[in-house]
Amino acid sequence: MITTNLVCNCTMKPSPKILIGYKNSWFARCHHTLTMSMSNKSTTCGHNLHLITMQCPFHAREFGRIMHGSQQVFGLPSSSFGQSSSIGLSTTGTTKRGVSSIAGINLRFKSRDFSNSVETHENGNGKMVYLKGGMNVKPIVVERVENDEDSVGGKEVSGLEVGEKNEKSENVEEGEKVEEEETEVEKEAWQLLHEALVTYCDTPVGTVAANDSDDHQPLNYDQVFIRDFIPSALAFLLKGEKEIVKNFLLNTLQLQSWEKTVDCYSPGQGLMPASFKVKTTKLDEGKTEEVLDPDFGESAIGRVAPVDSGLWWIILLRAYGKITGEYGLQERLDVQTGLRMILHLCLSDGFDMFPSLLVTDGSCMIDRRMGIHGHPLEIQALFYSALRSAREMLAADENSKNLIGEINNRLSALQFHIREYYWLDMQKMNEIYRYKTEEYSLDATNKFNIYPDQIPLWLIDWVPEEGGYLLGNLQPAHMDFRFFMLGNLWSIVSSLGTPKQNNAILNLIEANWGDLVGKMPLKICYPALEHHEWRIITGCDPKNTPWSYHNGGSWPTLLWQFTLACMKMNRTELAEKAVALAEKRLPRDSWPEYYDTRTARFIGKQARLYQTWTLAGFLASKMLLKNPKLASLLSWDEDFEILESCVCLLNKSGRVKCSRDAAKSQILV
Ligand code: GLC
C-alpha cells in the first residue's frame, strides 16, 4: 500500500512575496487543489494519500519531469516551489528503494540517479553554483517504494547487513529495545522527553526547548530548536524510535533557506532556521490549519544568524544512517539537494583569508553577544564534522566531483589551521610568551601578530604539563584564551584535533575538574568575563553576568558530547563520573537549563526548568554508555588522507613557500 505523504494543508508559513508568486504558477493551482482533508478532523491535514480524495487533476507528466530533475520544471516562476507544502513525511509500512510512487503512479528512477539539474550549474571556474534567480527550487518530495536490488526483504538495510548477512548488525532496528535496566531517573526523563514532543499534522516532528507549565513567559522556548533537538534525536535513535528523527530531518529540510528576511534582506540560500514553531491558524467553517513557522534569526533576540543549524542537520543526517542502517534517507533527491545547499553556503568565497568559517557573534549555542565573533572554535569544529559527514553522504555522481574536491581541500586546510594555530599547551604558551612581534614575512613565527601581554594571568598555572586545549578564537592580533567546552569536545569527537591533542584536552578537563565540572557538568566556557570585560564584551548583558548562563555557566546538556568524547578516547570512567553527578541532582532541581556560580552550586538565575536538551543530554549519555558500539559509529577517527594532502596551490606553482611545509604540529600525531 502506498502511504506516501505528498502535499497537505500543513504548510510552511509563506511570505507575502511567495503568495503573490503562487497566483500565476502551475504549482499555485496544484497547491490549492491538492489540499487534502482528513474527514474526521477539523484541522486540515492529510498524510496518507490512499485515505484522501484528490481534488486536483494530477498530471503524472509534471511529476515525472520533476523526478528526473529536468530543467523544464525549474523554469517555473521562482516562487513555484518555495512555499510548497509538499512535505515528505515518513511512510508507514515497508518501503523499497528505486521507484517513486505518487498517488498510484510509479515513477522509476535509479536510487543513485540524483538530480543533476535541480539548481546547480558550472560557474566557469569548475565550481558548481546555485542559480539565485531560479532559486526556489525545492524538489517535490517523494518516497521511493518497491523494487530495489539492494533491498533485502523489503527493508532498507545498511551496507553492513547486505555485505555480511550473517553478522549481527550494529544498527538499531525499529522497536528494538535496549535491554538494560532503566533507573527511576531515566524513566522520569523518558516520560518528560515524550511529553516535550511537538506534533505537526499528528506526526511528531521535534521537541520543545522547554516544557515548564508554570512558565508564563516562554518567549521562544516553546519552539523546536535545531541544535536543541540533537540530543533528543540521539536518545530516540539509540532507543530504536527513529521515525521522529526522520520527520524532523525532512520537515526542517522543507523550511531551509530564503523566505524570511531581516529588513528586506534575505538570508543566504541554504540557511537552516534556528528554530520553528507549529502554529494553528483558523480557516473558514471552524476548520484550522497547521503551519510550520521557521525563525532564521529575524525574530530572535539580537537577530542572531543560526550558522550551526545547518551543520547540526548534516551531522544528524549521518547519525541517522549510521544508527538505523537506513541510508536511503540520505540518498533522496531532496535530501541531497538540501545537503548541497548548506555546503554551498558554507563553502562560498568571501574576503576571508582563513580556512575557518567567519561568523558573527551569537551564531551558535552561545546565541548572544559574548565576544565570539570571528572564527569561534565551536563553529569550526561543527563545520569540520559536517564536512566529514557530507563527504560520506554525497552521491558519487559527476555533479559532486567538484564539490567533494572542494570539501577535501577545505578539510585539509581547516584541520591544519586548527591543529597548528589554535593549539595551546605549556610549550606553546612559552613560545607565545617569547614571541617577536611586527614580523613582515611569509616565514613569520608569530603569524597573527599576537602581543605576548595578552596571555592572561589565570592561564599560567591552569594548563597542566600533560594537558592542553584549543583556543576559543583566533584573529589578527587576538587570541581568545577562554576554554570553550563544546568546541573542544567536538574537536575530539570529529578528530579535528590530533590523537595527542585530544587526549591532552581530556587531561586538562580532568586536572581542572573543579573548575569545569564542579557540582554540575559542564562549564560552557571558562573563565567568566568580569568587570570592564563583561561591560564591553557582553554589552552589560544582565543575563550573562559573571558565572551565569553563557558567561561561565554550567550546561548539563553538554554531558552527551563529553560522554561521546570520553568514550572515543577510552576514558569512559570520566564520563561515568560526570553522569553520576547529573543523575543525582537534575531531577531534584527539575532539569534546569543551566547552573550558575564558579562551581555550579545554584540553579541558573533565569534558567528554564524542564529544559528538554538537559534531560535529553542526560538520556543520550546513558544510552551511549550502554551501547559503546553504537557510540563509536558517531565519532570519527583520524583520516590520513586529510592529513597528508597539502592543498597549497601556490606552492605547486612554485611562487611561494607553503607554510605547511614548515609545520611543527603534525608531529603531534
Ligand atoms: C538559549 C541558548 C541556545 C538554545 C536556546 C533554546 O538561547 O543559548 O543555545 O538553543 O536557549 O534552548
Side-chain angles (χ1 to χ4, degrees):
M1 182 159 49
I2 298 154
T3 55
T4 302
N5 306 296
L6 186 62
V7 178
C8 73
N9 227 20
C10 304
T11 55
M12 312 295 157
K13 197 177 174 190
S15 70
K17 186 175 79 187
I18 301 299
L19 281 177
I20 294 162
Y22 272 158
K23 280 187 186 155
N24 303 318
S25 73
W26 167 85
F27 195 77
R29 282 176 276 129
C30 228
H31 166 77
H32 292 301
T33 46
L34 268 175
T35 297
M36 302 167 249
S37 306
M38 303 279 275
S39 49
N40 57 345
K41 292 243 159 86
S42 61
T43 298
T44 318
C45 272
H47 282 308
N48 299 330
L49 277 182
H50 66 281
L51 289 176
I52 301 155
T53 319
M54 299 265 298
Q55 298 158 3
C56 173
F58 197 89
H59 301 296
R61 194 165 45 87
E62 304 288 356
F63 270 87
R65 279 157 44 188
I66 294 164
M67 284 313 307
H68 293 286
S70 89
Q71 296 285 13
Q72 273 169 296
V73 162
F74 300 107
L76 288 169
S78 64
S79 55
S80 299
F81 288 87
Q83 284 300 325
S84 91
S85 38
S86 56
I87 303 164
L89 295 174
S90 55
T91 54
T92 52
T94 56
T95 58
K96 293 182 191 176
R97 298 186 300 180
V99 176
S100 292
S101 188
I102 303 164
I105 304 151
N106 282 344
L107 300 161
R108 276 175 185 278
F109 74 111
K110 284 197 210 120
S111 62
R112 284 245 162 220
D113 181 17
F114 300 102
S115 162
N116 57 9
S117 57
V118 173
E119 70 286 86
T120 55
H121 82 149
E122 182 111 19
N123 72 352
N125 301 326
K127 283 188 178 176
M128 299 308 288
V129 294
Y130 288 93
L131 288 169
K132 263 279 196 221
M135 67 182 207
N136 290 341
V137 288
K138 301 292 274 193
I140 293 290
V141 176
V142 287
E143 291 284 338
R144 285 162 291 170
V145 291
E146 295 169 21
N147 295 343
D148 185 283
E149 312 83 54
D150 293 345
S151 62
V152 177
K155 267 189 299 174
E156 287 189 338
V157 287
S158 66
L160 190 80
E161 284 170 304
V162 173
E164 305 157 47
K165 280 182 208 145
N166 294 331
E167 282 190 21
K168 185 162 167 23
S169 165
E170 287 175 317
N171 311 122
V172 174
E173 293 292 321
E174 178 89 55
E176 185 185 308
K177 301 277 180 257
V178 175
E179 291 302 320
E180 279 208 40
E181 276 285 300
E182 276 173 0
T183 63
E184 286 308 308
V185 178
E186 283 169 66
K187 282 183 192 151
E188 177 184 328
W190 275 116
Q191 192 189 328
L192 291 168
L193 186 60
H194 280 110
E195 284 168 14
L197 282 172
V198 171
T199 57
Y200 171 57
C201 296
D202 298 327
T203 310
V205 290
T207 45
V208 275
N211 199 17
D212 180 5
S213 50
D214 292 337
D215 183 359
H216 301 299
Q217 257 205 323
L219 296 175
N220 52 353
Y221 281 84
D222 59 356
Q223 303 206 7
V224 180
F225 278 74
I226 310 297
R227 71 175 75 86
D228 291 39
F229 184 68
I230 307 301
S232 299
L234 290 181
F236 283 128
L237 285 176
L238 292 167
K239 194 139 192 183
E241 293 177 33
K242 62 186 178 187
E243 280 309 302
I244 175 178
V245 181
K246 187 176 184 180
N247 295 341
F248 170 85
L249 285 164
L250 290 174
N251 277 283
T252 45
L253 179 67
Q254 292 295 315
L255 295 175
Q256 187 180 27
S257 103
W258 64 67
E259 269 77 30
K260 290 303 187 78
T261 61
V262 176
D263 296 339
C264 301
Y265 184 75
S266 308
Q269 191 183 357
L271 189 73
M272 280 280 180
S275 60
F276 67 87
K277 192 179 165 82
V278 180
K279 285 190 173 159
T280 306
T281 53
K282 285 194 177 139
L283 298 174
D284 296 342
E285 297 164 16
K287 287 189 177 167
T288 55
E289 178 190 49
E290 285 189 345
V291 176
L292 281 187
D293 186 15
D295 180 6
F296 290 95
E298 74 281 359
S299 309
I301 296 164
R303 303 291 182 263
V304 280
V307 178
D308 64 341
S309 290
L311 306 175
W312 278 123
W313 186 87
I314 295 177
I315 293 167
L316 182 60
L317 182 65
R318 172 186 181 265
Y320 180 89
K322 286 276 175 191
I323 294 180
T324 64
E326 276 185 24
Y327 294 101
L329 182 68
Q330 300 169 1
E331 293 170 356
R332 284 170 53 139
L333 175 72
D334 53 342
V335 172
Q336 286 282 317
T337 304
L339 178 60
R340 282 169 207 227
M341 281 169 61
I342 301 171
L343 293 170
H344 279 269
L345 186 62
C346 295
L347 293 169
S348 59
D349 291 334
F351 285 107
D352 200 21
M353 296 287 287
F354 306 144
S356 39
L357 265 189
L358 176 63
V359 299
T360 57
D361 225 343
S363 54
C364 52
M365 177 186 180
I366 297 179
D367 57 0
R368 50 207 284 154
R369 192 169 148 191
M370 264 289 286
I372 61 163
H373 52 88
H375 304 86
L377 179 67
E378 173 172 336
I379 288 289
Q380 313 317 324
L382 293 177
F383 182 35
Y384 185 78
S385 314
L387 289 181
R388 288 196 70 170
S389 305
R391 203 171 55 148
E392 292 173 26
M393 297 186 292
L394 274 171
D397 58 19
E398 264 307 298
N399 220 10
S400 318
K401 256 195 204 154
N402 288 330
L403 186 54
I404 290 175
E406 233 182 293
I407 291 174
N408 280 330
N409 287 350
R410 193 62 174 261
L411 278 171
S412 171
L414 179 62
Q415 186 198 64
F416 171 78
H417 186 79
I418 300 290
R419 290 178 174 191
E420 181 67 18
Y421 303 126
Y422 277 59
W423 183 246
L424 192 92
D425 56 9
M426 279 311 286
Q427 192 191 330
K428 180 77 172 285
M429 211 184 334
N430 208 162
E431 265 172 43
I432 299 171
Y433 182 69
R434 292 166 53 79
Y435 263 168
K436 287 192 194 64
T437 56
E438 323 292 335
E439 291 178 278
Y440 179 84
S441 91
L442 282 168
D443 299 327
T445 311
N446 182 4
K447 292 196 171 52
F448 303 94
N449 200 34
I450 305 299
Y451 299 104
D453 276 357
Q454 280 180 33
I455 299 176
L457 283 178
W458 64 264
L459 189 62
I460 295 165
D461 295 320
W462 198 68
V463 179
E465 285 299 330
E466 300 298 317
Y469 67 100
L470 294 163
L471 294 170
N473 213 324
L474 180 67
Q475 315 259 43
H478 172 65
M479 274 183 174
D480 188 340
F481 288 99
R482 282 175 293 173
F483 175 87
F484 286 87
M485 187 62 78
L486 199 154
N488 272 284
L489 293 180
W490 211 250
S491 299
I492 299 175
V493 172
S494 64
S495 282
L496 176 56
T498 67
K500 197 168 165 190
Q501 288 173 340
N502 294 341
N503 251 317
I505 296 171
L506 290 183
N507 289 345
L508 177 130
I509 296 177
E510 192 175 14
N512 293 307
W513 192 262
D515 288 335
L516 298 175
V517 180
K519 303 214 175 298
M520 174 58 68
L522 291 135
K523 275 270 171 278
I524 193 167
C525 78
Y526 180 92
L529 299 166
E530 298 186 270
H531 313 297
H532 68 281
E533 270 194 329
W534 167 76
R535 272 174 203 289
I536 296 165
I537 297 175
T538 75
C540 302
D541 187 342
K543 228 180 149 180
N544 272 333
T545 51
W547 306 107
S548 182
Y549 198 43
H550 302 134
N551 187 13
S554 299
W555 292 66
T557 186
L558 293 168
L559 200 55
W560 74 269
Q561 335 231 14
F562 182 58
T563 304
L564 201 51
C566 291
M567 290 178 81
K568 180 186 164 184
M569 302 309 294
N570 294 322
R571 311 270 293 263
T572 308
E573 73 292 345
L574 286 181
E576 284 168 346
K577 213 165 109 183
V579 171
L581 265 177
E583 181 150 17
K584 251 196 194 157
R585 200 169 165 201
L586 286 177
R588 216 174 59 202
D589 293 346
S590 309
W591 308 93
E593 182 185 13
Y594 63 93
Y595 285 79
D596 284 356
T597 78
R598 259 177 186 277
T599 52
R601 291 194 77 159
F602 295 164
I603 296 172
K605 210 172 8 183
Q606 292 190 41
R608 308 281 149 164
L609 301 181
Y610 301 101
Q611 179 83 14
T612 306
W613 70 351
T614 295
L615 53 98
F618 164 74
L619 283 176
S621 305
K622 281 284 195 164
M623 298 298 286
L624 289 167
L625 288 170
K626 287 178 193 173
N627 298 281
K629 265 195 175 171
L630 291 176
S632 71
L633 299 177
L634 298 174
S635 58
W636 291 260
D637 288 330
E638 180 73 292
D639 182 322
F640 291 97
E641 238 174 89
I642 299 176
L643 193 67
E644 276 161 21
S645 61
C646 176
V647 291
C648 187
L649 296 172
L650 293 175
N651 189 33
K652 280 178 195 144
S653 70
R655 255 184 61 205
V656 288
K657 198 169 150 218
C658 171
S659 64
R660 287 182 60 163
D661 288 347
K664 296 156 289 173
S665 295
Q666 300 301 317
I667 52 164
L668 278 167
V669 178

